[in-house]
Amino acid sequence: MTRQKVVIYGACGALGTAVVKYFQKKLWWIGSIDTQSFICDSLVDVDKSFIVNVLDTWFQQEANINPEMAKILGDDKLDAIICVAGSLCNGNLACSDFIETALTAWRQCVWSSCIAASLSNKFLKEGGLLTLTGANMALKGTPDMIGYGMAKGAVHQLTKSLAGQNSGLPPKAQVISILPVIVDTPVHRELYPNDDWSSWTPPEHISSIIYKWITVPQERPPNGSLASLFTKNFKTKYVIEDKFL
């Protein structure tokens, strides 16, 4: 039986690692895209690591991944591409490194999302799913995190554009963005030790939601949805928000 295939962009981060583990347990073929080879532990591995050079331009990163993925996949197509690259970047106009952090957010969030979208044109199967990662906070202004909010807002717009006619997605393929409030990761716990962790979304919950959308198409939100993830008492639900507040 042919294994189902998924590529995870940002696989080496906390959320990406959780997604890899979830799909590994389901015995899927897994491709990792990140700035390093995926190395987690002896129990978790991926079938192929695609390495992104952070010193390369946006164009070079995409141009380097494409032929390598074509060689690996051959005539096969991916069931899904999941982009979870990106991390929180603080900074308002008064910060001395405002432009630097804004550029970092743009590279991590927008470059990765656009490359994932480009790959979906060539390698996603008919009826497959592309998921991107926005942010619930970016549905409105983010004065203390301007660069981050700007980048995530661009991901939201990209999602809407890809869902439109003639975007270049394969026939019947769909795109959905997840919009977490805050993901429960070790880094976030270290940064915010006094927060209510029961309201943070566990990466495993996100993984299970995405997996269900991929494997049960009738359970997917509408194409182009921005799905905000809300967690209360460690229980997670998603709410579709189609307008910018």
Side-chain angles (χ1 to χ4, degrees):
M1 182 176 179
T2 302
R3 294 168 68 194
Q4 291 175 288
K5 293 179 170 62
V6 63
V7 163
I8 300 164
Y9 204 131
C12 295
L15 177 54
T17 297
V19 176
V20 169
K21 288 183 176 182
Y22 195 93
F23 280 80
Q24 193 266 350
K25 290 178 181 178
K26 302 294 183 179
L27 303 180
W28 281 45
W29 183 97
I30 300 171
S32 158
I33 302 178
D34 215 307
T35 57
Q36 58 185 319
S37 294
F38 185 89
I39 301 175
C40 182
D41 55 48
S42 59
L43 299 178
V44 180
D45 200 359
V46 296
D47 295 273
K48 175 62 180 178
S49 286
F50 301 92
I51 310 301
V52 173
N53 188 338
V54 293
L55 299 179
D56 282 349
T57 65
W58 197 355
F59 169 79
Q60 289 171 330
Q61 290 182 8
E62 192 267 349
N64 290 338
I65 294 173
N66 256 299
E68 190 175 2
M69 190 167 293
K71 180 180 179 181
I72 294 297
L73 292 176
D75 294 330
D76 291 342
K77 296 291 184 179
L78 300 168
D79 294 88
I81 297 176
I82 302 170
C83 182
V84 289
S87 58
L88 286 172
C89 296
N90 294 314
N92 62 15
L93 296 181
C95 295
S96 60
D97 61 348
F98 166 68
I99 296 298
E100 181 180 354
T101 57
L103 178 59
T104 297
W106 194 262
R107 284 174 169 167
Q108 291 182 344
C109 302
V110 180
W111 285 23
S112 59
S113 296
C114 286
I115 293 173
S118 176
L119 294 174
S120 70
N121 169 260
K122 302 173 182 66
F123 304 113
L124 190 63
K125 75 176 187 180
E126 181 175 332
L129 181 66
L130 167 66
T131 67
L132 305 177
T133 303
N136 176 263
M137 68 172 66
L139 290 172
K140 54 185 179 182
T142 55
D144 294 326
M145 308 176 72
I146 295 176
Y148 178 80
M150 176 179 64
K152 289 299 189 180
V155 174
H156 300 172
Q157 203 282 336
L158 173 63
T159 303
K160 295 297 183 183
S161 293
L162 292 174
Q165 291 184 355
N166 302 317
S167 71
L169 282 182
K172 300 180 182 179
Q174 293 178 286
V175 56
I176 301 168
S177 272
I178 57 168
L179 277 59
V181 175
I182 186 166
V183 181
D184 189 357
T185 66
V187 171
H188 288 161
R189 289 198 177 206
E190 183 177 345
L191 290 174
Y192 309 105
N194 298 319
D195 273 19
D196 177 14
W197 295 347
S198 70
S199 65
W200 293 7
T201 304
E204 296 76 15
H205 291 194
I206 297 174
S207 302
S208 66
I209 289 171
I210 293 175
Y211 179 80
K212 185 174 183 180
W213 290 344
I214 296 170
T215 57
V216 189
Q218 59 268 30
E219 294 290 333
R220 295 175 189 172
N223 193 20
S225 290
L226 306 179
S228 291
L229 304 177
F230 295 103
T231 300
K232 184 176 181 180
N233 295 326
F234 301 106
K235 295 182 179 179
T236 302
K237 65 177 182 179
Y238 64 86
V239 176
I240 305 305
E241 180 57 80
D242 289 327
K243 60 181 181 297
F244 296 96
L245 302 180

